[in-house]
Amino acid sequence: MMTEKETVTEKIITDAMANPSPAKSMGDPGITPLSPSHTQNDTDQVPSGPSFVVVVAIDFGTTSSGYAYAFTKEPECIHTMRRWEGGDPGVSNQKTPTTILLTPDRKFHSFGYAARDFYHDLDPSESKHWLYLEKFKMKLHTTANLSIDTDLHAANGKRVKALDIFAYALAFFKEQALKELSDQTGGEFDNNDVRWVITVPAIWKMPAKQFMREAAYKSGLVPRENPEQLIIALEPEAASIYCRKLRLHQMVDLGTQTTQNGFSPTENVGSGMTQAKEHVRRNRQSRTFLVENVIGELWSELEEGDRYVVVDCGGGTVDLTVHQIRLPEGHLKELYKASGGPYGSIGIDYEFEKLLCRIFGQDFIDQFKIKRPAAWVDLMIAFESRKRAAAPDRTNPLNINLPFSFIDYYKKFRGHSVEHALRKSNVDFVKWSSQGMLRMSPDAMNSLFKPTIDHIIQHLTELFDKPEVSDIKFLFLVGGFAESTLLQQAVQNMLQGRSRIIIPHDVGLTILKGAVLFGLDPSVIKVRRSPLTYGVGVLNRFVEGKHPPEKLLVKDGTRWCTDVFDTFIAADQSVALGEMVKRSYTPAKPSQQVIVIHVYCSEKESAGFISEPGVRKCGTLRLDVSGTESTAPRREIQTLMQFGDTEIRAMAVDVSTGRTVKMKWSLKKLSVF
């Protein structure tokens, strides 16, 4: 802790946002520092909260979602959700599609398979009035100016508030999980006894995580006054936690020459996964996974300091996280900040849509999606099932059913047949079948995967070139897209034996089960990397020759440099779980009634001024000190920021009265940057 004498620099927190000199346009005099300090605390602030009876994790995915739970008295038993009604032949329905259906008057109707099947069965004249949404999670990652007013577009083109859709979805999972828990315990289960965990990509910025938290509050999943009841889990971290428990019979090792589980992974890159899927199918009736309270055989090979990469390949994003093992407890340390991008499997769907536009015309596809939204959904479902059959060694064509309404509407729109369009397009690798199907050659299907897989391989290559990511022992490939043998082969070719590639058998449920384990023990990840630089806007004494002239502010005869970014923590800095930065301030004027502190963040490791490009306000601390007196010569206001968790926490404390406020994130004007 630094002494008051050591902190001779004069700073004033400004209540200011306008450029280039916020303080000039604001009358609030702000506060000056007393004693900046930095303390570490690995345990006191860990979000353990009250004791819960059960942990329920929701894997809210781009393409599919589900939940799982474990009772705190039986942490070794992870129960996955009940079998979903509906489903596609040959596709595991341990999760349900992330699809939602609202009635024409915008009321929640159904979610998942139920929503998809009901929408499919609607008459075309009716379906255009219903609001059907799918793959909407990516909106939180791709929207440039995310806010609580952000809209989504339904299949019929109508707009609906994103916050409402996410809240409806979480309310659905809450109802499903509580009903199952009530049935299992023989009485109505109290939501207060549940610790909820929601998974999000590690590359999401704080605004997107906070948006998900706001949706949880709106849905009634947890009350706003009890935020500790909800934990935001990072998807690759959850996968990492589960992979620690893997036994040899629960995984496919693509990086060894030996036979495991009766098959040799080197015979064919997909043979191991095929048998793994069969293993999952045989055991699908059992929804309880036993997670032994031991370290798996694979993990026992790791020594202090060993490094491994988790590559989470989902529907929307691909997340890469580098962890290092810490013994003797086996805690995990994040070695390199999470990276990745929007390279999930829906990129293949976009490539298929581009192919259809090439054959039938962009204008027709745009019109068809609006005029026949349910038929468009059917077409993409047909493509999804054939997409899963793509493989490096496939030789026979893949047939994709075209809905009759597609064939009929195209004839009316263009005046000639679908078959004529295919001949005219000169797309040789897609043929027309008289049974009403598009016949795609294996090479044509594989080419749809190439742009997305190339993005992933490029990112992996760049990651492995970094000095922090040398000597990687294992690469865990998880997420639904990890089932793709095309992706598996590409990763193998890129690594060239530099690291062993491990794929859990139930690869689509790895994150979900890991999220339950994380909810049972949130302290398992001990050290993370700060994804952003965080700080506050201040005034410093103006120094000629050092500070820019345009930043000069004269207040009550004193010359200040305005807009200075006062850093609390820098991007990519290692932070321990619960690590806290604490600063003490005093009001610049004793008569000040409200103290406002704005928190800023930036992707840059250092920022000189809050007006620099890329610096954004991300939250506000507003402390009302009216009606209270302080006997101290200077009133002390402590500002605390806690790092190392999946979410940043900040608070301000009036030391003389104990009055405390927590930071409110800027949800009115959220920015994802």
Side-chain angles (χ1 to χ4, degrees), residues 3 35 71 81-82 115 135 159 268 366 408 445 483 510-511 580 583:
T3 67
S35 55
F71 291 96
M81 68 301 269
R82 291 169 170 166
K135 299 168 186 171
R159 295 154 72 99
N268 180 289
D366 290 345
D408 182 59
M445 177 63 83
E483 292 185 3
T510 300
I511 292 162
M580 188 172 292
R583 306 272 170 86

Side-chain angles (χ1 to χ4, degrees), residues 443-475:
D443 287 344
M445 177 63 83
N446 294 357
S447 70
L448 300 182
F449 282 71
K450 190 176 187 306
T452 300
I453 290 178
D454 283 351
H455 274 302
I456 297 170
I457 297 304
Q458 179 185 351
H459 201 87
L460 265 176
T461 302
E462 292 171 358
L463 183 72
F464 271 74
D465 284 343
K466 296 185 183 297
E468 308 98 308
V469 193
S470 59
D471 300 322
I472 296 296
K473 199 156 190 174
F474 300 119
L475 183 145

Side-chain angles (χ1 to χ4, degrees), residues 144-354:
N145 294 296
L146 181 67
S147 80
I148 56 173
D149 297 319
T150 294
D151 286 333
L152 298 172
H153 287 90
N156 60 4
K158 292 183 179 179
R159 295 154 72 99
V160 61
K161 295 289 183 196
L163 192 66
D164 291 341
I165 296 301
F166 280 84
Y168 279 141
L170 292 175
F172 166 79
F173 281 112
K174 175 191 175 186
E175 181 185 353
Q176 294 289 317
L178 288 181
K179 187 176 187 308
E180 181 170 348
L181 289 168
S182 296
D183 291 347
Q184 209 175 89
T185 56
E188 188 170 347
F189 203 87
D190 189 344
N191 188 46
N192 292 324
D193 291 331
V194 181
R195 159 159 275 170
W196 294 94
V197 181
I198 299 176
T199 65
V200 302
I203 57 173
W204 271 15
K205 302 296 188 291
M206 273 307 301
K209 297 176 190 175
Q210 189 64 19
F211 187 98
M212 190 65 88
R213 182 170 281 279
E214 285 295 316
Y217 292 149
K218 183 165 187 174
S219 70
L221 193 74
V222 299
R224 190 181 295 274
E225 55 273 16
N226 188 19
E228 301 297 333
Q229 193 179 349
L230 170 64
I231 296 177
I232 302 294
L234 306 182
E235 289 165 358
E237 283 192 356
S240 181
I241 293 165
Y242 177 68
C243 287
R244 294 198 313 160
K245 305 286 188 179
L246 281 177
R247 310 304 299 270
L248 290 177
H249 66 276
Q250 296 172 319
M251 66 185 188
V252 176
D253 187 343
L254 298 184
T256 64
Q257 303 296 317
T258 58
T259 298
Q260 278 182 207
N261 259 12
F263 58 84
S264 172
T266 55
E267 289 174 6
N268 180 289
V269 72
S271 63
M273 186 54 64
T274 302
Q275 294 199 26
K277 287 181 184 177
E278 186 59 36
H279 171 79
V280 171
R281 286 194 191 98
R282 287 197 304 268
N283 293 278
R284 196 177 296 160
Q285 296 300 326
S286 172
R287 297 183 305 106
T288 301
F289 292 84
L290 293 178
V291 181
E292 298 178 53
N293 191 26
V294 295
I295 298 298
E297 294 100 330
L298 191 72
W299 210 262
S300 64
E301 296 181 31
L302 290 172
E303 299 174 350
E304 174 77 36
D306 276 351
R307 304 166 177 188
Y308 63 94
V309 174
V310 177
V311 183
D312 171 22
C313 305
T317 56
V318 169
D319 258 346
L320 293 86
T321 302
V322 184
H323 279 156
Q324 190 173 42
I325 194 75
R326 297 176 71 192
L327 299 176
E329 298 90 352
H331 289 137
L332 310 180
K333 173 184 179 180
E334 186 180 14
L335 201 63
Y336 183 77
K337 69 178 181 179
S339 60
Y343 318 135
S345 61
I346 59 172
I348 304 157
D349 301 344
Y350 296 146
E351 291 298 318
F352 178 62
E353 185 176 335
K354 282 164 62 177

Side-chain angles (χ1 to χ4, degrees), residues 94-110:
Q94 290 177 302
K95 293 165 80 174
T96 196
T98 308
T99 56
I100 194 167
L101 183 64
L102 306 187
T103 63
D105 59 353
R106 296 174 179 262
K107 298 289 192 298
F108 175 80
H109 179 271
S110 49

